[in-house]
Amino acid sequence: MSLTIGELSRQAQVKIPTIRYYEQIGLLAEPVRTEGQQRRYWPEDVRRLNFIRHARELGFEVEAIRQLLGLASHPDRSCGEAHEITKAHLTEVNDKIARLTALRDELQNMVACDNGKVAKCRIIEVLADHDKCLHETH
Amino acid sequence: MSLTIGELSRQAQVKIPTIRYYEQIGLLAEPVRTEGQQRRYWPEDVRRLNFIRHARELGFEVEAIRQLLGLASHPDRSCGEAHEITKAHLTEVNDKIARLTALRDELQNMVACDNGKVAKCRIIEVLADHDKCLHETH
DNA sequence: CTTGAACCTATAGCCGCTAGAGGATGTAGC
DNA sequence: GCTACATCCTCTAGCGGCTATAGGTTCAAG
């Protein structure tokens, strides 16, 4: 019927100390306890913890997750707020992709220069002065 | 001629305590000091600190940055030795790009839900049940 | 020579976990 | 019922990578 913290951990792919940490900071409600003070969870908690894990993996901060969870518990309210949180995040991610792609190109150049000297490799300059070096040829 | 820590901070867009922290953990060399023990920097340091900032923004850990910086300070060494290190970083960067791209697609799906109610809003669903919602159309 | 911004060190705190010690609980097999 | 042992409990301390504060010193312009 109910789940131990270990079972919850396995099902939601979240480590046990992390579950207790989430309880501590109020992301997870305090669960029922056995006589001997062991935590017992319900399938509902698996869903909530999955939600939290996914949001964390997507780079949402705990505070943002708290907000999103708040929205989820008021399903009649507009999702404009959730929309804003997500949009801000999207912009950030797109920016990172662009810069990582530029970096990858430079690393590929570097790896391609097999028997040369580091002095000829431009990785340092590229990262030190990203905008200037970005579009130069190797 | 030389720069104060404040000027370095402004030019490299890195906060002053962070600069001192980087010195402490050995990412930045100890700079020259005035009689009164104040740090004085050179344009070279702006470049190095820019490098560090960009690498951090791209998600490299301090230890990886240490290695990359190591390559730059042995310009007489063959690329062959450094080749493996660089290739490892390239792999890492490619992984990051892949994961961020997947993330972006998902965020774009989420943002597509504009003025609905939370009940209809995919943000909550997607996060609550990642695998199910990932490839559905909006 | 004074003033005030900028600097110094040292320490403590932040987030988001993660690990360990030392002990209590729960369950399966006898 | 009893034992064995995996799993659980709390508490504390540590991690990376900063960031903020307190309390004092230096530097440069006027």
Side-chain angles (χ1 to χ4, degrees), chain B residues 44-56:
Chain B
E44 171 65 26
D45 297 306
V46 180
R47 278 172 49 80
R48 191 180 176 94
L49 195 46
N50 264 325
F51 175 97
I52 294 168
R53 175 170 56 87
H54 286 306
R56 286 295 300 129

Side-chain angles (χ1 to χ4, degrees), chain B residues 57-74:
Chain B
E57 284 171 1
L58 292 175
F60 285 94
E61 290 172 9
V62 163
E63 198 41 49
I65 296 172
R66 216 189 290 276
Q67 284 184 11
L68 287 172
L69 285 169
L71 298 183
S73 63
H74 296 285

Side-chain angles (χ1 to χ4, degrees), chain B residues 3-117:
Chain B
L3 306 167
T4 66
I5 197 169
E7 286 159 346
L8 176 62
S9 168
R10 275 184 293 280
Q11 287 191 32
Q13 301 273 70
V14 173
K15 288 177 183 169
I16 291 174
T18 305
I19 294 173
R20 294 199 270 246
Y21 169 72
Y22 285 160
E23 180 184 328
Q24 197 182 301
I25 64 171
L27 271 194
L28 287 178
E30 293 183 11
V32 289
R33 302 269 190 146
T34 62
E35 286 284 295
Q37 296 307 317
Q38 295 196 358
R39 292 165 179 84
R40 285 302 117 96
Y41 296 92
W42 305 97
E44 171 65 26
D45 297 306
V46 180
R47 278 172 49 80
R48 191 180 176 94
L49 195 46
N50 264 325
F51 175 97
I52 294 168
R53 175 170 56 87
H54 286 306
R56 286 295 300 129
E57 284 171 1
L58 292 175
F60 285 94
E61 290 172 9
V62 163
E63 198 41 49
I65 296 172
R66 216 189 290 276
Q67 284 184 11
L68 287 172
L69 285 169
L71 298 183
S73 63
H74 296 285
D76 53 325
R77 211 163 70 189
S78 163
C79 266
E81 256 177 277
H83 195 239
E84 287 308 310
I85 297 171
T86 310
K87 231 163 63 182
H89 285 303
L90 178 57
T91 303
E92 204 182 304
V93 168
N94 274 325
D95 280 0
K96 269 182 194 157
I97 290 172
R99 285 190 286 126
L100 278 172
T101 303
L103 164 58
R104 181 190 52 195
D105 293 347
E106 227 172 294
L107 286 172
Q108 263 160 1
N109 266 345
M110 288 162 70
V111 166
C113 112
D114 217 341
N115 278 318
K117 303 288 181 180

Side-chain angles (χ1 to χ4, degrees), chain A:
Chain A
M1 207 64 258
S2 62
L3 307 167
T4 67
I5 196 169
E7 286 159 346
L8 176 62
S9 169
R10 274 185 292 280
Q11 287 191 32
Q13 302 273 70
V14 173
K15 289 177 183 169
I16 291 173
T18 305
I19 294 172
R20 295 199 270 247
Y21 169 72
Y22 285 160
E23 180 183 327
Q24 198 181 301
I25 63 171
L27 270 194
L28 287 178
E30 293 183 13
V32 288
R33 302 268 189 147
T34 61
E35 286 284 295
Q37 296 309 316
Q38 296 197 358
R39 293 166 178 82
R40 287 299 122 97
Y41 296 92
W42 305 97
E44 171 65 26
D45 297 305
V46 180
R47 274 178 54 80
R48 191 180 175 95
L49 194 48
N50 264 325
F51 179 100
I52 294 167
R53 174 171 56 88
H54 288 309
R56 287 294 301 133
E57 283 171 1
L58 294 175
F60 287 93
E61 290 174 8
V62 164
E63 199 42 49
I65 296 172
R66 217 188 291 275
Q67 287 176 19
L68 288 172
L69 284 170
L71 297 181
S73 60
H74 296 283
D76 52 325
R77 217 161 68 189
S78 162
C79 76
E81 232 179 297
H83 189 245
E84 282 311 307
I85 295 169
T86 310
K87 223 164 68 183
H89 208 68
L90 177 57
T91 304
E92 208 180 295
V93 167
N94 273 326
D95 188 59
K96 268 185 192 167
I97 289 173
R99 295 199 295 133
L100 274 173
T101 303
L103 171 59
R104 181 189 54 193
D105 293 347
E106 286 303 326
L107 282 172
Q108 262 161 0
N109 273 343
M110 224 182 140
V111 168
C113 116
D114 217 339
N115 287 313
K117 304 287 182 179
V118 175
K120 292 179 187 163
C121 293
R122 296 184 47 263
I123 182 69
I124 304 300
E125 287 106 277
V126 168
L127 278 177
D129 208 347
H130 204 250
D131 299 325
K132 271 191 199 163
C133 299
L134 203 51
H135 301 297
E136 288 171 16
T137 54
H138 189 66

